[in-house]
Amino acid sequence: MAVERLTIEGVRNLQAGALSPGPVINWLHGENGAGKTSVLEAIHLVGRGRSFRAARPGSVIQHGAEQLRVVVKRQDGVVLGVERSPEGWRGRIGGRDSQRISEFAAALPLVLIEPDSHRLVDGGPDRRRQYLDWQLFHVEPDYLEAWQRYARLLKQRNAALKSGARDAMLDALEAPMLPAAERLDTLRRQQVSLLEITVRRLLETIGIRLPGEVQLAYRRGFPVDETLADALRAQRDSDRERGFTQRGPHRADLALKVDGHPAAVELSRGQQKLLALALLLAQLHHLDQHGSQAPLLLLDDPVSELDRRHLESVLGWLAEQRFQTWVTATEPPDIEARLFHVEQGAVRPQQ
Ligand SMILES: Nc1ncnc2c1ncn2[C@@H]1O[C@H](COP(=O)(O)OP(=O)(O)OP(=O)(O)O)[C@@H](O)[C@H]1O
C-alpha cells in the first residue's frame, strides 16, 4: 500500500523530517552522497526489518545519534514504524508493539531493484531462493507456516547430526520433514511456472531482447531421480561428518536459462541486469495481483544501470501501474513524478 507520509530520524546523513510522497512515481534527485539511497534504505528498514546495504544494522544509525526512527503512514491511515537504539530493535504496527519481521513485511510489501540486483542472475542460489520465498510469502497465505515448520525440523536434524545421532533417531526426525518439504516444493514449483509466464510477457512489454527464450525451472535441492527420504538416508554419514543437512528444499535453486544455456554464462552483464529487472518486476506484478495489498517499488539509480531505451520503457510501464515507486537519480526526470531534491541530507519537495 502506498506511503502517504514518511518520517525519518537518525538515518545516515539524513536530516530529521517528514515527506509526503505522491501515489505513483516519486523521484529523489541530487548529487552523489546526498542521501537519496538512504531514503530508500529507511523505507526498507520498515518493510524488511533490515537495511539492504549494511550487514550491521547499527551502521545505518546517524553518527553521534542515540537512535534511529522511521515511521510510515500508509494511505489507509495505518501507521507502522521501527526504532533502533543501543537497546535493540523496536517495532510498532497500528498502535501495538511487534517484533515480527513477517508482520512488517506483510504490512508494507516491497520490491527493491538496485545496482547489485544482477546477482539474482549471476550470484549463488541463496538469493534466488530468497526471491522465491518472498514471492510465496506474499501471495500464498500458508507458505510462511510451511517454511517455518520445515526450518524447525531441519534445525533439529542438524543438531542431531552434530551430536552424532544414530540412524534410529534420524529416522524419527526425517519422517516429518518429508511432507513439510513436499509442501514447499509444490508451492515453489507452481510459483516458478507462473513467474516464467510473467517474466516472458514483461520482457516483451518492456522491449528487452535477450538472445533466446528465457526459461525458469525449480531445482528442489536433491537429485531428480531420488525421493527426499532416500537422499537424506544416503547422505547421513557425510552429513554427520559436516554437521549439517546437505540435501533438501533449503538447498533449492531457481535455474535461469536462455534457450537451454545458463543465463549467468550466456548473457552479458547488461543483459543479466535486464533479466534481473524483469524477474523483480514480475515479482512486483504478482504481489500487486495476488498479494493482500499493493507493493512498493524501490528503484535505486536506474539511470546508471539502464540504457536510455530500456529506462524509458520501464518508467513508462511504471507510470501505468497502480503501485507507488521511489526512484533515485542524480538528475531530475523527463517524466511526470513527485520530485524531491536531496542535498547534504536535506530532502525537499519541489514543484
Ligand atoms: N552512519 C552514518 N551517519 C552519518 N552519515 C553517514 C552514515 N553512513 C553514511 N553516511 C553518509 O551519508 C551519505 C549517504 O549517502 P547515500 O548513499 O544515501 O547517497 P546517494 O545520494 O544515494 O549517493 P549516490 O548518488 O552516490 O549513490 C553519504 O554522504 C555518507 O558518507
Side-chain angles (χ1 to χ4, degrees), residues 12-13 31-38 53 59-63:
R12 296 207 189 262
N13 71 333
E31 289 183 356
N32 292 134
K36 307 173 298 288
T37 306
S38 302
R53 56 176 180 169
S59 61
V60 185
I61 302 181
Q62 197 160 86
H63 298 315

Side-chain angles (χ1 to χ4, degrees), residues 3-290:
V3 174
E4 191 179 284
R5 198 155 175 80
L6 172 67
T7 308
I8 301 177
E9 280 174 39
V11 173
R12 296 207 189 262
N13 71 333
L14 295 176
Q15 291 180 16
L19 307 180
S20 297
V24 189
I25 297 183
N26 293 278
W27 193 280
L28 300 146
H29 69 102
E31 289 183 356
N32 292 134
K36 307 173 298 288
T37 306
S38 302
V39 176
L40 305 193
E41 204 174 11
I43 300 171
H44 198 273
L45 277 175
V46 180
R48 292 279 173 93
R50 61 176 188 84
S51 160
F52 56 86
R53 56 176 180 169
R56 225 170 36 82
S59 61
V60 185
I61 302 181
Q62 197 160 86
H63 298 315
E66 274 290 291
Q67 65 167 32
L68 158 167
R69 190 167 151 266
V70 185
V71 180
V72 163
K73 182 180 175 206
R74 292 192 324 207
Q75 221 167 29
D76 61 357
V78 170
V79 176
L80 60 155
V82 295
E83 247 179 57
R84 193 166 252 289
S85 65
E87 286 87 63
W89 197 88
R90 268 192 74 207
R92 280 180 78 73
I93 300 183
R96 61 179 177 80
D97 285 338
S98 172
Q99 293 290 339
R100 299 174 72 172
I101 288 174
S102 58
E103 284 194 48
F104 284 89
L108 199 68
L110 56 84
V111 171
L112 166 75
I113 302 178
E114 41 112 21
D116 243 14
S117 292
H118 64 87
R119 295 241 195 106
L120 194 53
V121 178
D122 70 358
D126 301 29
R127 280 199 178 225
R128 289 183 290 277
R129 230 175 13 247
Q130 225 175 50
Y131 163 82
L132 254 188
D133 285 340
W134 274 120
Q135 165 101 6
L136 278 149
F137 167 79
H138 285 296
V139 302
E140 194 59 56
D142 66 346
Y143 188 73
L144 178 65
E145 202 210 314
W147 188 88
Q148 285 173 334
R149 188 168 354 111
Y150 178 78
R152 207 169 40 241
L153 294 163
L154 179 66
K155 212 168 142 188
Q156 287 171 5
R157 185 178 189 269
N158 286 343
L161 290 168
K162 284 198 185 81
S163 65
R166 299 195 175 203
D167 280 353
M169 167 74 134
L170 291 178
D171 282 342
L173 287 171
E174 287 164 13
M177 285 176 82
L178 307 178
E182 180 77 36
R183 183 78 188 130
L184 289 189
D185 278 354
T186 307
L187 291 172
R188 284 172 170 178
R189 202 177 296 281
Q190 285 166 355
Q191 206 56 223
V192 169
S193 304
L194 296 172
L195 273 168
E196 183 180 63
I197 297 168
T198 311
V199 168
R200 286 181 183 165
R201 209 177 48 224
L202 268 169
L203 288 169
E204 206 173 308
T205 309
I206 294 172
I208 298 175
R209 286 186 291 271
L210 296 179
E213 186 168 62
V214 169
Q215 290 119 9
L216 273 63
Y218 180 60
R219 300 270 177 271
R220 59 187 186 163
F222 54 98
V224 277
D225 53 354
E226 280 181 30
T227 62
L228 181 59
D230 290 343
L232 289 173
R233 210 171 299 120
Q235 283 294 121
R236 281 179 184 171
D237 286 341
S238 161
D239 283 357
R240 276 194 199 96
E241 230 164 78
R242 299 188 181 208
F244 65 91
T245 305
Q246 298 169 79
R247 301 264 200 260
H250 60 292
R251 304 300 287 266
D253 196 359
L254 168 64
L256 302 171
K257 296 198 170 175
V258 176
D259 275 353
H261 306 290
V265 177
E266 184 72 7
L267 300 180
S268 73
R269 175 55 71 91
Q271 287 171 328
Q272 289 176 16
K273 286 184 179 184
L274 291 169
L275 177 56
L277 174 83
L279 285 161
L280 290 160
L281 292 180
Q283 176 157 87
L284 194 67
H285 174 78
H286 280 266
L287 264 56
D288 189 38
Q289 297 292 307
H290 308 290

